[in-house]
Amino acid sequence: VEELAGGFQLPVNIAFNPHAHHDHDPLFYVVELYGQIKVVSGEGVVSTYASGLLNFDPTGEFPGSGEQGVAGIVVDPASGDLFITVMYDNGGTHFPRVERLHSNDGGFTMATRTILLSMPNDPMGQSHQISNISFGPDGKLYVHVGDGFDHAAGTDLSVFRGKIVRMNLDGS
């Protein structure tokens, strides 16, 4: 086992880049819970793809209120764009959303950020938040939304909490 890269702060997820063909290409992305995404080249060089992704201060007790932020990531095999799951603050309550991040420099830094799906009626708590995101064999996104500490939400079809949401790349 060899370490290719290190120095991450609260890494919670990783996504490999299917477009990496050379050592200088982005090989994979690492999500840091408190609002950053790092990119690692095939040569092991670590740089910041995006920072400041949260509109609140995520630090707090850990475990506890400090367990929330950016959690999921997947690379679009067609475009190379990143899809992420993130918490956002609205009046002191945190809600989940799915965003698309686009790069104009071959995947090394974020150029644009688009909100695809906001879930303002689904308050989330620490660790029971929105998390993994992946592509299914049908080309759609599958988003794992935590129950927000409401175990009954899984059977309530009027909320996103406690579900795996299947969505198109445009957010529908």
Side-chain angles (χ1 to χ4, degrees):
V1 175
E2 288 182 41
E3 180 180 307
L4 178 64
F8 303 108
Q9 181 184 16
L10 296 174
V12 292
N13 218 321
I14 186 171
F16 284 87
N17 179 14
H19 302 277
H21 301 295
H22 307 288
D23 284 347
H24 58 274
D25 290 339
L27 180 61
F28 60 89
Y29 299 88
V30 177
V31 173
E32 294 180 340
L33 183 64
Y34 287 174
Q36 291 198 103
I37 297 174
K38 301 289 183 155
V39 58
V40 180
S41 74
E43 298 160 327
V45 176
V46 179
S47 59
T48 300
Y49 176 86
S51 63
L53 295 172
L54 302 177
N55 70 341
F56 63 93
D57 180 3
T59 59
E61 291 184 35
F62 203 96
S65 62
E67 295 179 70
Q68 50 192 327
V70 183
I73 187 169
V74 68
V75 180
D76 184 340
S79 70
D81 286 354
L82 303 183
F83 291 91
I84 63 168
T85 62
V86 62
M87 300 286 286
Y88 71 97
D89 181 85
N90 187 5
T93 303
H94 297 151
F95 299 94
R97 68 181 175 200
V98 177
E99 298 183 1
R100 183 180 198 137
L101 310 180
H102 177 74
S103 171
N104 290 332
D105 65 358
F108 283 100
T109 55
M110 177 184 72
T112 60
R113 180 179 181 186
T114 305
I115 298 168
L116 297 181
L117 177 63
S118 284
M119 298 168 240
N121 298 321
D122 291 287
M124 297 267 115
Q126 62 275 7
S127 74
H128 286 237
Q129 67 175 1
I130 191 168
S131 60
N132 291 337
I133 185 169
S134 57
F135 276 95
D138 56 2
K140 300 198 183 284
L141 289 170
Y142 287 78
V143 181
H144 304 231
V145 183
D147 66 7
F149 285 106
D150 177 4
H151 67 278
T155 58
D156 182 349
L157 296 180
S158 69
V159 298
F160 288 107
R161 284 173 291 167
K163 314 284 187 307
I164 298 175
V165 177
R166 178 177 175 247
M167 59 186 283
N168 294 311
L169 303 187
D170 65 1
S172 60

Short mmCIF file of all heavy atoms in Angstrom, two decimals, residues 7-45:
data_model
loop_
_atom_site.label_atom_id
_atom_site.label_comp_id
_atom_site.label_asym_id
_atom_site.label_seq_id
_atom_site.Cartn_x
_atom_site.Cartn_y
_atom_site.Cartn_z
N GLY A 7 -3.02 14.95 3.74
CA GLY A 7 -3.23 16.29 4.24
C GLY A 7 -4.67 16.77 4.15
O GLY A 7 -4.93 17.97 4.21
N PHE A 8 -5.61 15.86 4.02
CA PHE A 8 -7.02 16.24 3.90
C PHE A 8 -7.62 16.52 5.28
O PHE A 8 -7.20 15.94 6.28
CB PHE A 8 -7.81 15.13 3.20
CG PHE A 8 -7.28 14.79 1.84
CD1 PHE A 8 -6.61 13.60 1.62
CD2 PHE A 8 -7.42 15.67 0.79
CE1 PHE A 8 -6.10 13.28 0.38
CE2 PHE A 8 -6.92 15.37 -0.46
CZ PHE A 8 -6.25 14.17 -0.67
N GLN A 9 -8.63 17.41 5.32
CA GLN A 9 -9.32 17.72 6.56
C GLN A 9 -10.72 17.13 6.51
O GLN A 9 -11.55 17.55 5.70
CB GLN A 9 -9.40 19.23 6.77
CG GLN A 9 -10.10 19.60 8.06
CD GLN A 9 -10.29 21.09 8.22
OE1 GLN A 9 -10.17 21.86 7.29
NE2 GLN A 9 -10.59 21.50 9.43
N LEU A 10 -10.99 16.16 7.36
CA LEU A 10 -12.27 15.47 7.42
C LEU A 10 -12.74 14.98 6.05
O LEU A 10 -13.83 15.31 5.58
CB LEU A 10 -13.34 16.36 8.06
CG LEU A 10 -13.10 16.75 9.52
CD1 LEU A 10 -14.15 17.76 9.97
CD2 LEU A 10 -13.11 15.54 10.42
N PRO A 11 -11.92 14.15 5.37
CA PRO A 11 -12.37 13.60 4.09
C PRO A 11 -13.51 12.61 4.31
O PRO A 11 -13.44 11.76 5.18
CB PRO A 11 -11.12 12.90 3.55
CG PRO A 11 -10.33 12.56 4.77
CD PRO A 11 -10.62 13.64 5.78
N VAL A 12 -14.57 12.75 3.52
CA VAL A 12 -15.74 11.89 3.70
C VAL A 12 -16.13 11.12 2.44
O VAL A 12 -16.94 10.21 2.52
CB VAL A 12 -16.96 12.68 4.22
CG1 VAL A 12 -16.72 13.17 5.64
CG2 VAL A 12 -17.30 13.84 3.31
N ASN A 13 -15.56 11.48 1.30
CA ASN A 13 -15.93 10.78 0.08
C ASN A 13 -14.86 10.99 -0.98
O ASN A 13 -14.09 11.94 -0.91
CB ASN A 13 -17.29 11.25 -0.45
CG ASN A 13 -18.11 10.12 -1.01
OD1 ASN A 13 -17.58 9.23 -1.66
ND2 ASN A 13 -19.42 10.16 -0.79
N ILE A 14 -14.86 10.10 -1.95
CA ILE A 14 -13.88 10.16 -3.04
C ILE A 14 -14.58 9.76 -4.33
O ILE A 14 -15.50 8.94 -4.33
CB ILE A 14 -12.68 9.22 -2.75
CG1 ILE A 14 -11.58 9.37 -3.78
CG2 ILE A 14 -13.14 7.78 -2.63
CD1 ILE A 14 -10.30 8.64 -3.41
N ALA A 15 -14.18 10.39 -5.44
CA ALA A 15 -14.73 10.03 -6.75
C ALA A 15 -13.60 10.02 -7.75
O ALA A 15 -12.85 11.00 -7.87
CB ALA A 15 -15.80 11.03 -7.17
N PHE A 16 -13.46 8.93 -8.45
CA PHE A 16 -12.43 8.81 -9.48
C PHE A 16 -12.92 9.41 -10.79
O PHE A 16 -14.10 9.34 -11.12
CB PHE A 16 -12.00 7.35 -9.66
CG PHE A 16 -11.12 6.89 -8.53
CD1 PHE A 16 -11.67 6.37 -7.38
CD2 PHE A 16 -9.74 7.02 -8.62
CE1 PHE A 16 -10.86 5.97 -6.33
CE2 PHE A 16 -8.93 6.64 -7.58
CZ PHE A 16 -9.49 6.10 -6.44
N ASN A 17 -11.99 9.99 -11.52
CA ASN A 17 -12.29 10.67 -12.77
C ASN A 17 -12.12 9.69 -13.94
O ASN A 17 -10.99 9.30 -14.25
CB ASN A 17 -11.35 11.87 -12.93
CG ASN A 17 -11.57 12.62 -14.21
OD1 ASN A 17 -12.56 12.44 -14.89
ND2 ASN A 17 -10.62 13.49 -14.54
N PRO A 18 -13.20 9.33 -14.62
CA PRO A 18 -13.07 8.40 -15.75
C PRO A 18 -12.38 9.03 -16.95
O PRO A 18 -12.03 8.33 -17.90
CB PRO A 18 -14.52 8.03 -16.07
CG PRO A 18 -15.33 9.18 -15.59
CD PRO A 18 -14.60 9.73 -14.40
N HIS A 19 -12.14 10.34 -16.92
CA HIS A 19 -11.49 11.05 -18.02
C HIS A 19 -9.99 11.17 -17.84
O HIS A 19 -9.32 11.80 -18.66
CB HIS A 19 -12.11 12.45 -18.19
CG HIS A 19 -13.58 12.41 -18.45
ND1 HIS A 19 -14.11 12.21 -19.70
CD2 HIS A 19 -14.64 12.50 -17.61
CE1 HIS A 19 -15.43 12.20 -19.62
NE2 HIS A 19 -15.77 12.37 -18.36
N ALA A 20 -9.44 10.60 -16.78
CA ALA A 20 -8.00 10.68 -16.52
C ALA A 20 -7.25 9.71 -17.42
O ALA A 20 -7.43 8.50 -17.33
CB ALA A 20 -7.71 10.38 -15.05
N HIS A 21 -6.42 10.26 -18.31
CA HIS A 21 -5.66 9.43 -19.23
C HIS A 21 -4.15 9.65 -19.11
O HIS A 21 -3.37 8.86 -19.60
CB HIS A 21 -6.09 9.70 -20.67
CG HIS A 21 -7.55 9.45 -20.92
ND1 HIS A 21 -8.13 8.20 -20.83
CD2 HIS A 21 -8.56 10.30 -21.20
CE1 HIS A 21 -9.43 8.29 -21.07
NE2 HIS A 21 -9.71 9.55 -21.30
N HIS A 22 -3.75 10.74 -18.47
CA HIS A 22 -2.34 11.08 -18.31
C HIS A 22 -2.06 11.40 -16.85
O HIS A 22 -2.97 11.75 -16.10
CB HIS A 22 -1.99 12.29 -19.19
CG HIS A 22 -2.37 12.12 -20.62
ND1 HIS A 22 -1.71 11.27 -21.48
CD2 HIS A 22 -3.38 12.68 -21.34
CE1 HIS A 22 -2.28 11.32 -22.67
NE2 HIS A 22 -3.30 12.16 -22.62
N ASP A 23 -0.80 11.31 -16.43
CA ASP A 23 -0.43 11.58 -15.05
C ASP A 23 -0.81 12.98 -14.59
O ASP A 23 -1.10 13.19 -13.42
CB ASP A 23 1.07 11.36 -14.83
CG ASP A 23 1.44 9.89 -14.76
OD1 ASP A 23 0.53 9.05 -14.62
OD2 ASP A 23 2.64 9.60 -14.85
N HIS A 24 -0.80 13.95 -15.48
CA HIS A 24 -1.11 15.33 -15.08
C HIS A 24 -2.62 15.61 -15.05
O HIS A 24 -3.03 16.67 -14.63
CB HIS A 24 -0.40 16.33 -16.01
CG HIS A 24 -0.76 16.17 -17.45
ND1 HIS A 24 -0.09 15.28 -18.27
CD2 HIS A 24 -1.71 16.75 -18.21
CE1 HIS A 24 -0.63 15.34 -19.48
NE2 HIS A 24 -1.61 16.22 -19.47
N ASP A 25 -3.46 14.66 -15.45
CA ASP A 25 -4.91 14.82 -15.40
C ASP A 25 -5.42 14.65 -13.97
O ASP A 25 -4.80 13.97 -13.15
CB ASP A 25 -5.61 13.75 -16.26
CG ASP A 25 -5.41 13.96 -17.75
OD1 ASP A 25 -5.08 15.10 -18.15
OD2 ASP A 25 -5.58 12.99 -18.50
N PRO A 26 -6.58 15.22 -13.66
CA PRO A 26 -7.21 14.95 -12.36
C PRO A 26 -7.54 13.45 -12.27
O PRO A 26 -8.27 12.93 -13.10
CB PRO A 26 -8.48 15.78 -12.37
CG PRO A 26 -8.27 16.82 -13.42
CD PRO A 26 -7.36 16.19 -14.44
N LEU A 27 -6.98 12.78 -11.26
CA LEU A 27 -7.20 11.35 -11.09
C LEU A 27 -8.44 11.09 -10.23
O LEU A 27 -9.26 10.25 -10.54
CB LEU A 27 -5.98 10.69 -10.46
CG LEU A 27 -6.06 9.19 -10.23
CD1 LEU A 27 -6.26 8.44 -11.55
CD2 LEU A 27 -4.80 8.70 -9.53
N PHE A 28 -8.55 11.85 -9.13
CA PHE A 28 -9.72 11.70 -8.27
C PHE A 28 -9.96 12.98 -7.47
O PHE A 28 -9.10 13.84 -7.37
CB PHE A 28 -9.62 10.49 -7.35
CG PHE A 28 -8.47 10.47 -6.39
CD1 PHE A 28 -8.57 11.05 -5.13
CD2 PHE A 28 -7.28 9.84 -6.73
CE1 PHE A 28 -7.51 11.02 -4.25
CE2 PHE A 28 -6.22 9.79 -5.85
CZ PHE A 28 -6.33 10.39 -4.60
N TYR A 29 -11.18 13.05 -6.91
CA TYR A 29 -11.62 14.19 -6.11
C TYR A 29 -11.92 13.70 -4.70
O TYR A 29 -12.48 12.62 -4.52
CB TYR A 29 -12.87 14.83 -6.71
CG TYR A 29 -12.64 15.35 -8.11
CD1 TYR A 29 -12.82 14.53 -9.22
CD2 TYR A 29 -12.21 16.65 -8.31
CE1 TYR A 29 -12.58 15.00 -10.50
CE2 TYR A 29 -11.97 17.14 -9.59
CZ TYR A 29 -12.15 16.30 -10.67
OH TYR A 29 -11.91 16.77 -11.94
N VAL A 30 -11.56 14.51 -3.71
CA VAL A 30 -11.82 14.18 -2.32
C VAL A 30 -12.72 15.27 -1.73
O VAL A 30 -12.39 16.45 -1.81
CB VAL A 30 -10.51 14.08 -1.50
CG1 VAL A 30 -10.80 13.82 -0.03
CG2 VAL A 30 -9.61 13.00 -2.07
N VAL A 31 -13.83 14.85 -1.14
CA VAL A 31 -14.74 15.78 -0.47
C VAL A 31 -14.31 15.93 0.98
O VAL A 31 -14.14 14.93 1.68
CB VAL A 31 -16.20 15.26 -0.52
CG1 VAL A 31 -17.11 16.14 0.31
CG2 VAL A 31 -16.69 15.19 -1.94
N GLU A 32 -14.14 17.18 1.39
CA GLU A 32 -13.90 17.48 2.79
C GLU A 32 -15.20 18.01 3.38
O GLU A 32 -15.82 18.92 2.82
CB GLU A 32 -12.78 18.50 2.95
CG GLU A 32 -11.43 17.95 2.48
CD GLU A 32 -10.30 18.95 2.62
OE1 GLU A 32 -10.56 20.17 2.71
OE2 GLU A 32 -9.15 18.50 2.64
N LEU A 33 -15.63 17.42 4.47
CA LEU A 33 -16.93 17.69 5.07
C LEU A 33 -17.23 19.17 5.24
O LEU A 33 -18.35 19.61 5.02
CB LEU A 33 -17.03 16.98 6.42
CG LEU A 33 -18.35 17.09 7.17
CD1 LEU A 33 -19.48 16.42 6.39
CD2 LEU A 33 -18.23 16.47 8.55
N TYR A 34 -16.22 19.96 5.59
CA TYR A 34 -16.46 21.37 5.92
C TYR A 34 -16.40 22.30 4.72
O TYR A 34 -16.14 23.49 4.86
CB TYR A 34 -15.51 21.82 7.01
CG TYR A 34 -15.85 21.26 8.39
CD1 TYR A 34 -15.01 21.48 9.45
CD2 TYR A 34 -17.01 20.54 8.62
CE1 TYR A 34 -15.31 20.99 10.72
CE2 TYR A 34 -17.32 20.04 9.87
CZ TYR A 34 -16.46 20.27 10.92
OH TYR A 34 -16.76 19.79 12.17
N GLY A 35 -16.66 21.80 3.51
CA GLY A 35 -16.93 22.69 2.40
C GLY A 35 -15.85 22.84 1.34
O GLY A 35 -15.86 23.83 0.62
N GLN A 36 -14.96 21.87 1.25
CA GLN A 36 -13.95 21.93 0.19
C GLN A 36 -13.95 20.63 -0.60
O GLN A 36 -14.30 19.58 -0.09
CB GLN A 36 -12.55 22.13 0.77
CG GLN A 36 -12.33 23.48 1.38
CD GLN A 36 -10.85 23.77 1.53
OE1 GLN A 36 -10.29 24.52 0.74
NE2 GLN A 36 -10.22 23.16 2.51
N ILE A 37 -13.51 20.76 -1.85
CA ILE A 37 -13.24 19.59 -2.68
C ILE A 37 -11.81 19.73 -3.18
O ILE A 37 -11.44 20.76 -3.75
CB ILE A 37 -14.22 19.48 -3.87
CG1 ILE A 37 -15.65 19.31 -3.35
CG2 ILE A 37 -13.83 18.32 -4.78
CD1 ILE A 37 -16.71 19.34 -4.43
N LYS A 38 -11.02 18.71 -2.94
CA LYS A 38 -9.64 18.68 -3.41
C LYS A 38 -9.57 17.79 -4.63
O LYS A 38 -10.33 16.84 -4.78
CB LYS A 38 -8.71 18.12 -2.32
CG LYS A 38 -8.73 18.89 -1.03
CD LYS A 38 -8.07 20.23 -1.17
CE LYS A 38 -8.04 20.92 0.18
NZ LYS A 38 -7.02 21.89 0.32
N VAL A 39 -8.64 18.12 -5.53
CA VAL A 39 -8.39 17.31 -6.71
C VAL A 39 -6.96 16.79 -6.62
O VAL A 39 -6.05 17.51 -6.22
CB VAL A 39 -8.65 18.09 -8.02
CG1 VAL A 39 -7.79 19.33 -8.10
CG2 VAL A 39 -8.46 17.22 -9.23
N VAL A 40 -6.79 15.52 -6.97
CA VAL A 40 -5.48 14.88 -6.93
C VAL A 40 -5.14 14.40 -8.34
O VAL A 40 -5.91 13.66 -8.95
CB VAL A 40 -5.46 13.69 -5.94
CG1 VAL A 40 -4.08 13.04 -5.91
CG2 VAL A 40 -5.89 14.14 -4.55
N SER A 41 -4.00 14.85 -8.84
CA SER A 41 -3.57 14.42 -10.17
C SER A 41 -2.94 13.04 -10.08
O SER A 41 -2.63 12.56 -8.99
CB SER A 41 -2.56 15.41 -10.76
OG SER A 41 -1.31 15.26 -10.12
N GLY A 42 -2.73 12.42 -11.23
CA GLY A 42 -2.08 11.12 -11.27
C GLY A 42 -0.66 11.16 -10.75
O GLY A 42 -0.10 10.14 -10.37
N GLU A 43 -0.09 12.35 -10.70
CA GLU A 43 1.26 12.53 -10.14
C GLU A 43 1.23 12.71 -8.63
O GLU A 43 2.28 12.85 -8.00
CB GLU A 43 1.92 13.75 -10.80
CG GLU A 43 2.08 13.60 -12.30
CD GLU A 43 2.27 14.93 -13.01
OE1 GLU A 43 1.70 15.96 -12.56
OE2 GLU A 43 2.98 14.93 -14.03
N GLY A 44 0.04 12.77 -8.04
CA GLY A 44 -0.09 12.93 -6.60
C GLY A 44 -0.14 14.37 -6.13
O GLY A 44 -0.10 14.63 -4.94
N VAL A 45 -0.24 15.31 -7.05
CA VAL A 45 -0.32 16.72 -6.69
C VAL A 45 -1.75 17.03 -6.23
O VAL A 45 -2.72 16.73 -6.93
CB VAL A 45 0.07 17.63 -7.87
CG1 VAL A 45 -0.11 19.10 -7.52
CG2 VAL A 45 1.50 17.34 -8.31
#
